[in-house]
Amino acid sequence: MDHIAVTVNGQLRPLRGVSAHTAALDWLREIGLTGSKEGCAEGECGACSILLATPDEHGGTRWTAVNACLVPAAALDGQEVVTAEGLGTPEHLHPVQARLAEAGGSQCGYCTPGFACSMAAEFYRADRVPSGAPDIASGGDAAATTISADAAADAAHGPNGFDLHALSGNLCRCTGYRPIRDAAYALGDPEPDDPLAERRTRPAPEPRTTLLEVDGERFIRPSSLDEALRVITEEPDAVVVAGSTDWGVEVNLRGRRTPLVLAIDHLPELRAVTFGDGVLEIGAALPLTDVERRLDGRVPLLDELFPQFASPLIRNRATIGGNLGTASPIGDTAPALLSLEARVVLVSGEGEREVDLAEFFTDYRQTLRRSDELIRAVRIPLPLARFTAFHKVAKRRFDDISSVAVGFALELNGDIVSSARIGLGGVAATPLRARATEAALAGRPWDLDTVRDAASVLGSEGSPMSDHRASAEYRSRMLATALLKLYRTRRGTRAEEPA
Amino acid sequence: MTELAERPAHPAVGQPLPHESAALHATGAAAYTDDLAARRHDALTAWPVQSEQAHALVSLDVRDALAVPGVVRVLTAAEVPGVNDAGAKGDEPLFPSEAMFHGHALAWVLAETTESARLGAAAVRVASEPLPSIMTAAEAIEAGSFQGIPRTIRRGDPEGALAAAPHVFEGTTLIGGQEHFYLETHASLAHVDSEGQVFVECSTQHPTEAQHVVAHVLGVPSNRVTVQSLRMGGGFGGKEVQPHGFAAVAALGATLTGRPVRVRLTRTQDLTMTGKRHPFHVEWRAGFDDDGRILALAATLTSDGGWCLDLSEPVTARALMHVDNAYWIPDVVVQGRIAKTNKTSQTAFRGFGGPQGMFVIEDILGRVAPILGVDAAALREHNFYVAGQTTPYGQPVRHAERLHEVWRRVRHESAFDERRARIVAFNAEHADTKRSLAITPVKFGISFTLTAYNQAGALVHVYQDGSVLINHGGTEMGQGLHTKMLQVAATALGVPLESVRFAPTRTDKVPNTSATAASSGADLNGGAVKHACEQIRDRMATVAGRMLGIDARDVRFSRGRVSGLGTTGPSVTFAEVVSAAHEQRVQLFAAGFYRTEGLHWDTEAMQGSPFKYFAYGAAACEVEVDGFTGTYRIRRVDIVHDVGDSLSPIVDLGQVEGGFVQGAGWLTLEDLRWDETEGPGRGRLLTRSASTYKLPSFSEMPEVFNVHFFERATEDGVVYGSKAVGEPPLMLAFSVREAIREAVAAFGPAGHSVELASPATPEAVFWAIEAARGTAATAGTVDAAAGRSDAPGRAGAADAERRLVPFDR
């Protein structure tokens, strides 16, 4: 199967010896590129991070950091990847490697190649702009608008514009992170002759139609949506993947195997973001990072959600379709989308149908999607509610799974709550709408009495369980306090404008 | 100053150098044990068959496994030619007939690929006969399930002092465990060479013990087995004794099949099979006078040792020795015992019981300060050791004044008083968010408490071109030991760093080594490397003296040149002297040896001077706590830590910062949960993956992190005046826990005690806030809009309050 090949560090390498279930990480290590490490095999630690050439919005290429432990090797067919070994060598260090090394950013060094790749992705981010740059747009006296780099940098951004969240999917057990942060904040811009910077100006590799079959197990990347629908109609047990951030965990940690993996992440019908007449449609197979970029802040609730959804390494591959399709009660997009009254667009050989997201989840990990259907998109009605918020409670601030998540979308008419839509995660077998709370808010004045009453209703929604993340009692209390916190911290800010 | 501590002119020690492998780390060129396996396509993979019962008699049927394509062999007890035991205590059968915990490896399947090994293991049939199981220290106490020898440290008349004390408090404190979560899981790769020698690559902190375990499992003498520890992707104590059963499995497989065999645990296997920091159950009574002076302490510490003894005895002993932390306790009795439970065998973890011991006194001080009406920072300072006092086990507290100086400097660097005033103002204005600034000290004893471990060896070669190769018994787990040893050798020989190389640690170069542990790697191996280098240097001085026409005693080696005293005389290069020495048949290699002088310890009486010296430090930490959720963030940390004269400042800074964050993880975030129900999953580790066991990420890094080394801190009697640094900084993180406690208290009225669970997760903090507010309700100063519902706060803090009622008289 030498026609299946990947460009690794500038060299074309045939994907020999891989099965439909081989992770890119295992294949890279098999061909001698052992810089990428397995630390957890579930996309939590980032020790396996590599760079993938993906298309940007301007016909060029973006270097995107991904977890090689979750990406099927076969999904890289025809693609370009760069590993830590490809960034630089001990004799000729890449700038991120040089900064990491001299800053004391490595101790045991096991996580370091992964950090180097995540850091390189942010290093090459085209819109990374030093925060110390003069604010031209504000006009006026240049001297007065020039701000010092240090003053402008907040805790999560360096003076060079480096967004620390870019590293939030990488774990280091040795350093305590400070030197890694300092290394990141000391980075300059790529040199003009930097080959990876130059590579950004040319298009990313086209997706390729792939058929890999080994020992009766297949990986198929179909040529079109029609073909994808034909395949799942004929083979209802096919596992449909886009970013494979969920399926990869099943394969690695739970030993799940399937006769057929169907990759749909490249299908254009599943990758669009369109603001239409009264509706916003978001493609189901577009990575969340791209959704965030294309929405560009026009859906404030989702803008609040994205940074709290796993890590950039995951968001660079994970999709809304995957997060809804897997139907986990603790997936973070569902509570947000429920509050926005999103609808799910399902497509099959017979055509499309649209279902209310609130009806979509039928039981624990069960949905209305038939095996011959794909989630093509979600539709969010416009205009958006003007007062929205996303509250997530977890043990750890960065990259943790929700104990409880709440999406709020309120419409206020003067001081009266004209409508309230609230989506909940983590408190039942499925994500759900807090309908009793919505009713307790609707038509009442937006004041402390209403909020207290509604909070006690909210605290009794769902039927939370106790587990290793949180007790049932805490989960219920977090629902109630979410509304109080919303009121106390945001009552004066209703500035979000509809998209 | 002793010769050992004295530094020559222009020393390589003290230079701020990055880790010697930093460029290799960053480019992925640094090889770890399983990277070697990836390059050996003839290697078989070993996969464990794990128990699904917490405690059961088991018997295995492996026939179906052998039918799985790719499976080559199944290793069971019947295959062991030597002793079927993986440890040093004789209580760890490598292939058990009694499963002692959920996840216990019962057999190992060898196969051509990881996939076939996994499927093979799944095909092994396990017949089991369940036995009663014990999951917690409390259950073990109830059932009388203990192991090892209990120990007691006693001084004075604590019972009498407690009876007479004006204020007596008592309580029960539960201290959580911690998973090491080194990024590299356990790995071993073994093969048998053409001469029948067994060579094992092992990610171990203790190659010598790996060698011994492999030899006794194979039934061969130690001279047939060589163990190499290339570098580890983190150790933290988790690879001090735990790797050796895995090394034995690989070696046994290689011996039986003639093929290289690799063991590399998946994260879940590592979490479910290997030991962790000991959880502790502590019952205590403490007496204070009206001025807040500690009068007496009586405590019983029960460590949860898991299924076998492992290192639980020395861990528990070190906990007893650190119950005092930095404080003079005139009359004291602390008893330690080890619970036997059906869990992983708890083991060494950075601090080795010290953190749990200190937890006891820091928890007591944090809880009682409000009731005594004393500020917690003042209460701590008030009780510090002063010069001339001794620890409860009879060791003089040398340099007690450093404790006071470190404390003063932290208060100064952190602008403690000004910022506290600002925080009071902030808290007055914010009902839903509270901040706090807390300061805590560390005094930590350095040396292995097993005196025999305090020795080390080295082997140094000078080649004819003047290049130097060093070997020593210490292992590299990221702590920068090799970096320091290169600096020591370059300093001792007076050569540039670039001309010194080290070779990976292996047992056929330096035998009979101690574990790289107890923070002692640089002290011990540095002493040995220096000793070897100085033998060579002294021989070369004789040669150089003749070349330069001066007395050998006046020869100086510095920066690659050899000269007499003064700067104006003639000089020759190091390489020229080497060349001349070789011509004259002078030996240019040497074995070095070091033993720590002055240690003595009576294990039975628990009295003596087990430590060479104490490491001191203090940290001031500011946190902000969200009253709605119990979540918190570390806003700023200021540390002053005593590393003596640093051998390698970047390395030491990394140890301080990394240790602090790891300690903060233990105290606040890292939450091990086991199934303690009577259901079918009893004994199962619930937090068995990176998605359920959360260690600190960037979000736990202090937003402002200032670390200073204590200055003019030469430690006499230690290599180049330095001090050990691996473990002590972890315990600076008590400042985080105490800051959270004080921020929680700020949600209620002054003067009330706050009990915090361990770890102080957001949920635990939330319930503590609820309890503080509950106190507020009684006092009638409630902020009605602060988000309380009518539901009563969960038990815990309220119970603590009851237990904390002072017996005033």
Side-chain angles (χ1 to χ4, degrees):
Chain A
M1 291 191 195
D2 282 8
H3 63 285
I4 298 186
V6 189
T7 302
V8 184
N9 300 332
Q11 221 187 334
L12 195 65
R13 310 286 298 251
L15 268 173
R16 285 201 197 96
V18 307
S19 79
H21 296 101
T22 305
L25 172 63
D26 293 330
W27 174 70
L28 288 169
R29 293 180 58 80
E30 189 72 20
I31 63 170
L33 293 169
T34 55
S36 307
K37 311 295 186 195
E38 181 181 310
C40 70
E42 57 171 339
E44 289 277 341
C45 79
C48 64
S49 304
I50 59 171
L51 295 167
L52 182 62
T54 64
D56 69 11
E57 294 84 40
H58 317 293
T61 294
R62 173 181 293 120
W63 287 111
T64 299
V66 301
N67 288 303
C69 71
L70 299 180
V71 180
L76 296 180
D77 179 23
Q79 302 301 304
E80 285 176 43
V81 303
V82 172
T83 69
E85 293 98 327
L87 287 175
T89 64
E91 295 73 31
H92 300 283
L93 296 172
H94 184 277
V96 302
Q97 294 169 328
R99 296 295 92 75
L100 273 169
E102 69 204 18
S106 75
Q107 288 185 23
C108 84
Y110 202 78
C111 68
T112 319
F115 267 103
C117 288
S118 285
M119 202 179 279
E122 180 66 7
F123 175 68
Y124 289 117
R125 180 164 62 85
D127 54 357
R128 178 174 64 88
V129 183
S131 56
D135 185 356
I136 307 294
S138 68
D141 181 0
T145 53
T146 303
I147 44 175
S148 88
D150 284 349
D154 61 49
H157 288 84
N160 57 355
F162 193 101
D163 180 0
L164 200 58
H165 288 92
L167 306 179
S168 68
N170 294 78
L171 294 176
C172 168
R173 189 54 151 164
C174 298
T175 64
Y177 300 101
R178 192 277 313 159
I180 299 174
R181 178 195 65 187
D182 288 358
Y185 288 1
L187 286 167
D189 291 325
E191 295 294 323
D193 61 346
D194 182 324
L196 295 180
E198 189 277 331
R199 176 68 189 81
R200 298 179 301 182
T201 60
R202 288 175 285 116
E206 291 286 318
R208 188 182 289 186
T209 304
T210 304
L211 169 59
L212 173 95
E213 178 160 5
V214 176
D215 298 336
E217 293 171 347
R218 285 165 299 153
F219 178 94
I220 296 179
R221 186 189 295 284
S223 59
S224 66
L225 178 58
D226 283 348
E227 190 189 331
L229 293 172
R230 198 158 52 241
V231 169
I232 58 169
T233 305
E234 287 163 9
E235 303 188 51
D237 293 336
V239 170
V240 178
V241 303
S244 198
T245 53
D246 201 47
W247 174 243
V249 178
E250 294 291 314
V251 169
N252 294 344
L253 264 58
R254 286 178 263 287
R256 295 251 329 260
R257 300 292 182 264
T258 179
L260 173 59
V261 177
L262 181 74
I264 50 138
D265 52 320
H266 62 298
L267 300 173
E269 294 88 343
L270 276 67
R271 292 179 65 92
V273 171
T274 49
F275 281 89
D277 192 15
V279 68
L280 160 64
E281 186 174 294
I282 303 172
L286 191 64
L288 292 173
T289 303
D290 294 276
V291 175
E292 182 178 10
R293 278 204 191 88
R294 294 207 210 165
L295 291 179
D296 195 24
R298 284 177 289 178
V299 183
L301 177 60
L302 294 182
D303 225 35
E304 208 176 322
L305 158 70
F306 290 128
Q308 300 184 63
F309 187 105
S311 67
L313 288 167
I314 295 293
R315 294 199 297 279
N316 286 340
R317 297 278 299 167
T319 63
I320 289 178
N323 202 232
L324 298 179
T326 194
S328 164
I330 45 176
D332 281 341
T333 62
L337 291 170
L338 281 167
S339 70
L340 296 175
E341 301 189 276
R343 302 177 69 78
V344 181
V345 181
L346 296 163
V347 60
S348 70
E350 296 159 17
E352 289 196 352
R353 65 178 177 133
E354 197 181 286
V355 299
D356 186 344
L357 181 59
E359 319 275 299
F360 181 69
F361 304 109
T362 53
D363 203 341
Y364 180 68
R365 297 238 167 194
Q366 301 292 315
T367 71
L368 288 176
R369 183 180 77 86
R370 300 191 311 261
S371 62
D372 67 336
E373 287 178 315
L374 292 177
I375 303 174
R376 191 183 66 69
V378 292
R379 288 185 182 143
I380 297 169
L382 299 175
L384 300 167
R386 275 182 294 178
F387 188 13
T388 61
F390 184 74
H391 283 212
K392 171 170 174 169
V393 177
K395 270 187 199 162
R396 192 172 71 191
R397 271 199 297 135
F398 287 0
D399 191 12
D400 197 0
I401 292 166
S402 296
S403 302
V404 166
V406 188
F408 291 106
L410 309 182
E411 196 60 65
L412 301 182
N413 184 3
D415 277 336
I416 304 296
V417 181
S418 53
S419 80
R421 300 288 179 266
I422 302 171
L424 307 179
V427 293
T430 67
L432 57 102
R433 277 270 294 273
R435 297 200 189 265
T437 312
E438 294 172 4
L441 284 165
R444 292 193 55 187
W446 180 238
D447 61 18
L448 190 57
D449 284 342
T450 302
V451 166
R452 276 203 193 128
D453 291 350
S456 80
V457 177
L458 185 51
S460 64
E461 298 265 13
S463 49
M465 308 191 322
S466 291
D467 66 9
H468 49 79
R469 291 199 173 87
S471 69
E473 202 177 348
Y474 181 65
R475 285 189 160 104
S476 291
R477 290 297 304 279
M478 288 304 99
L479 291 184
T481 62
L483 189 58
L484 290 161
K485 183 172 184 176
L486 178 72
Y487 179 78
R488 301 266 293 183
T489 57
R490 293 272 302 274
R491 67 186 145 173
T493 57
R494 282 181 244 148
E496 289 97 342
E497 290 301 317
Chain B
M1 196 187 297
T2 60
E3 200 186 338
L4 187 59
E6 198 173 343
R7 292 187 178 191
H10 313 296
V13 293
Q15 302 297 316
L17 303 174
H19 193 284
E20 40 78 20
S21 287
L24 302 178
H25 293 154
T27 53
Y32 299 79
T33 298
D34 201 52
D35 297 340
L36 304 173
R39 287 161 205 172
R40 294 204 63 138
H41 291 278
D42 55 343
L44 297 171
T45 292
W47 199 273
V49 178
Q50 292 183 262
S51 169
E52 293 180 9
Q53 307 261 345
H55 192 194
L57 295 174
V58 291
S59 58
L60 308 176
D61 179 348
V62 304
R63 282 169 299 180
D64 289 354
L66 292 168
V68 171
V71 170
V72 171
R73 191 145 184 163
V74 183
L75 302 180
T76 62
E79 314 263 356
V80 177
V83 182
N84 179 21
D85 195 86
K89 298 275 181 187
D91 65 347
E92 289 181 57
L94 184 58
F95 301 99
S97 55
E98 184 177 341
M100 293 298 289
F101 65 100
H102 199 292
H104 200 163
L106 307 173
W108 291 78
V109 174
L110 307 182
E112 299 288 349
T113 64
T114 306
E115 184 79 348
S116 47
R118 182 178 67 82
L119 295 171
V124 171
R125 289 192 213 171
V126 181
S128 59
E129 188 183 313
L131 298 168
S133 59
I134 290 172
M135 291 316 304
T136 63
E139 283 178 27
I141 292 167
E142 178 83 27
S145 172
F146 298 103
Q147 57 189 332
I149 301 167
R151 301 286 182 195
T152 300
I153 295 176
R154 169 182 282 278
R155 171 168 67 193
D157 175 20
E159 293 82 2
L162 282 168
H167 308 277
V168 176
F169 304 93
E170 62 184 356
T172 301
T173 296
L174 299 179
I175 305 171
Q178 184 179 26
E179 163 61 32
H180 302 83
F181 217 108
Y182 25 62
L183 264 285
E184 179 211 27
T185 53
H186 280 281
S188 280
L189 170 67
H191 75 271
V192 182
D193 74 6
S194 60
E195 313 308 308
Q197 302 182 86
V198 180
F199 187 75
V200 186
E201 301 273 3
C202 180
S203 183
T204 177
Q205 293 172 235
H206 198 349
T208 287
E209 191 177 280
Q211 177 194 24
H212 293 167
V213 170
V214 167
H216 80 226
V217 168
L218 296 182
V220 301
S222 289
N223 64 11
R224 283 270 303 278
V225 178
T226 298
V227 174
Q228 170 163 302
S229 180
L230 191 52
R231 60 166 64 76
M232 283 167 274
F236 316 112
K239 295 174 182 171
E240 183 171 344
V241 301
Q242 300 262 322
H244 306 145
F246 309 126
V249 166
L252 177 62
T255 305
L256 294 175
T257 63
R259 303 263 303 266
V261 171
R262 72 184 269 252
V263 173
R264 186 199 71 90
L265 302 187
T266 65
R267 180 59 62 184
T268 295
Q269 287 166 355
D270 200 298
L271 279 156
T272 55
M273 290 164 69
T274 72
K276 303 161 199 328
R277 186 186 296 285
H278 290 69
F280 269 63
H281 172 285
V282 184
E283 290 177 357
W284 54 267
R285 295 188 81 201
F288 291 80
D289 72 11
D290 288 326
D291 296 330
R293 266 187 212 285
I294 309 171
L295 296 177
L297 174 69
T300 300
L301 282 65
T302 308
S303 65
D304 179 348
W307 73 278
C308 71
L309 206 46
D310 198 295
L311 291 166
S312 294
E313 285 178 323
V315 164
T316 307
R318 189 173 273 267
L320 299 182
M321 294 177 199
H322 284 82
V323 157
D324 60 336
N325 191 13
Y327 312 107
W328 165 245
I329 310 173
D331 293 274
V332 57
V333 56
V334 281
Q335 300 173 281
R337 56 186 178 174
I338 303 153
K340 184 170 177 133
T341 58
N342 296 106
K343 290 201 288 218
T344 54
S345 174
Q346 315 319 3
T347 190
F349 194 146
R350 203 175 197 169
F352 203 78
Q356 293 97 320
M358 284 185 202
F359 188 113
V360 177
I361 192 70
E362 294 301 337
D363 194 56
I364 291 172
L365 294 175
R367 282 162 70 167
V368 306
I371 302 176
L372 290 171
V374 184
D375 173 64
L379 181 65
R380 289 189 162 88
E381 186 176 4
H382 199 45
N383 282 291
F384 280 172
Y385 279 112
V386 297
Q389 291 174 330
T390 57
T391 64
Y393 47 89
Q395 175 155 1
V397 184
R398 197 164 62 89
H399 287 164
E401 71 283 358
R402 284 194 183 188
L403 197 51
H404 299 259
E405 289 164 25
V406 160
W407 189 260
R408 274 196 293 279
R409 174 118 191 260
V410 172
R411 288 184 65 114
H412 174 73
E413 296 289 348
S414 65
F416 193 77
D417 295 328
E418 299 93 290
R419 283 170 57 215
R420 267 205 159 175
R422 286 208 297 277
I423 284 168
V424 168
F426 175 92
N427 287 348
E429 287 167 17
H430 294 81
D432 304 320
T433 309
K434 300 293 182 190
R435 291 179 180 169
S436 164
L437 175 60
I439 178 171
T440 59
V442 167
K443 168 186 125 288
F444 189 80
I446 300 297
S447 288
F448 285 99
T449 50
L450 178 62
T451 303
Y453 263 39
N454 296 293
Q455 58 174 314
L459 181 62
V460 174
H461 300 173
V462 175
Y463 291 99
Q464 288 177 58
D465 61 356
S467 66
V468 179
L469 182 69
I470 63 171
N471 238 292
H472 60 87
T475 56
E476 178 64 37
M477 62 196 98
Q479 84 281 39
L481 178 60
H482 288 337
T483 313
K484 288 182 170 178
M485 294 304 99
L486 290 171
Q487 290 175 278
V488 166
T491 303
L493 289 170
V495 295
L497 265 171
E498 303 76 59
S499 58
V500 187
R501 228 190 117 238
F502 71 89
T505 317
R506 46 191 284 174
T507 55
D508 59 352
K509 294 289 173 55
V510 178
N512 309 329
T513 58
S514 296
T516 305
S519 306
S520 67
D523 287 12
L524 299 180
N525 295 289
V529 167
K530 185 166 183 279
H531 177 234
C533 290
E534 285 172 351
Q535 294 171 53
I536 301 168
R537 192 194 63 195
D538 289 349
R539 290 179 209 136
M540 285 177 66
T542 306
V543 176
R546 288 195 291 266
M547 293 169 80
L548 295 166
I550 59 175
D551 191 277
R553 286 168 296 189
D554 290 339
V555 173
R556 293 292 177 272
F557 292 72
S558 186
R559 296 188 285 187
R561 295 206 71 85
V562 184
S563 61
L565 300 173
T567 52
T568 51
S571 71
V572 289
T573 66
F574 185 82
E576 285 165 348
V577 181
V578 166
S579 188
H582 182 68
E583 294 270 318
Q584 296 167 27
R585 293 177 293 164
V586 171
Q587 187 184 347
L588 287 169
F589 61 96
F593 184 73
Y594 176 81
R595 70 192 291 275
T596 314
E597 300 298 337
L599 307 182
H600 60 95
W601 180 244
D602 180 339
T603 304
E604 296 302 319
M606 294 293 276
Q607 290 290 318
S609 280
F611 301 122
K612 177 74 177 172
Y613 56 88
F614 294 105
Y616 296 106
C621 173
E622 181 182 338
V623 299
E624 180 175 297
V625 174
D626 173 24
F628 292 107
T629 57
T631 53
Y632 42 79
R633 53 205 296 167
I634 303 176
R635 287 170 47 79
R636 174 172 164 178
V637 173
D638 293 84
I639 288 171
V640 175
H641 193 73
D642 173 14
V643 299
D645 290 337
S646 176
L647 290 178
S648 199
I650 292 179
V651 166
D652 284 351
L653 177 61
Q655 290 298 297
V656 173
E657 293 178 333
F660 181 89
V661 171
Q662 198 171 70
W666 168 52
L667 291 167
T668 67
L669 175 67
E670 300 181 37
D671 200 0
L672 285 164
R673 298 291 186 99
W674 311 76
D675 186 340
E676 293 168 9
T677 68
E678 296 296 331
R682 181 170 170 83
R684 189 173 184 272
L685 180 64
L686 301 173
T687 46
R688 48 170 45 211
S689 64
S691 56
T692 49
Y693 185 80
K694 307 306 271 192
L695 48 141
S697 78
F698 262 103
S699 53
E700 283 63 45
M701 172 187 67
E703 290 166 22
V704 178
F705 204 171
N706 302 317
V707 177
H708 303 274
F709 294 146
F710 186 60
E711 287 161 355
R712 293 179 294 283
T714 309
E715 184 65 30
D716 208 5
V718 185
V719 62
Y720 293 125
S722 63
K723 266 188 176 180
V725 68
E727 293 163 295
L730 182 127
M731 289 150 270
L732 296 168
F734 284 116
S735 60
V736 182
R737 187 167 188 270
E738 294 309 308
I740 290 173
R741 187 199 306 278
E742 291 176 23
V744 167
F747 284 96
H752 289 272
S753 178
V754 170
E755 188 188 8
L756 269 184
S758 160
T761 58
E763 175 168 356
V765 172
F766 178 78
W767 296 124
I769 293 170
E770 285 291 280
R773 286 177 177 148
T775 321
T778 326
T781 55
V782 64
D783 173 359
R788 278 179 298 106
S789 77
D790 294 337
R794 213 171 62 151
D799 290 351
E801 201 59 32
R802 277 197 294 280
R803 288 199 296 275
L804 269 170
V805 170
F807 298 87
D808 286 72
R809 64 197 76 209

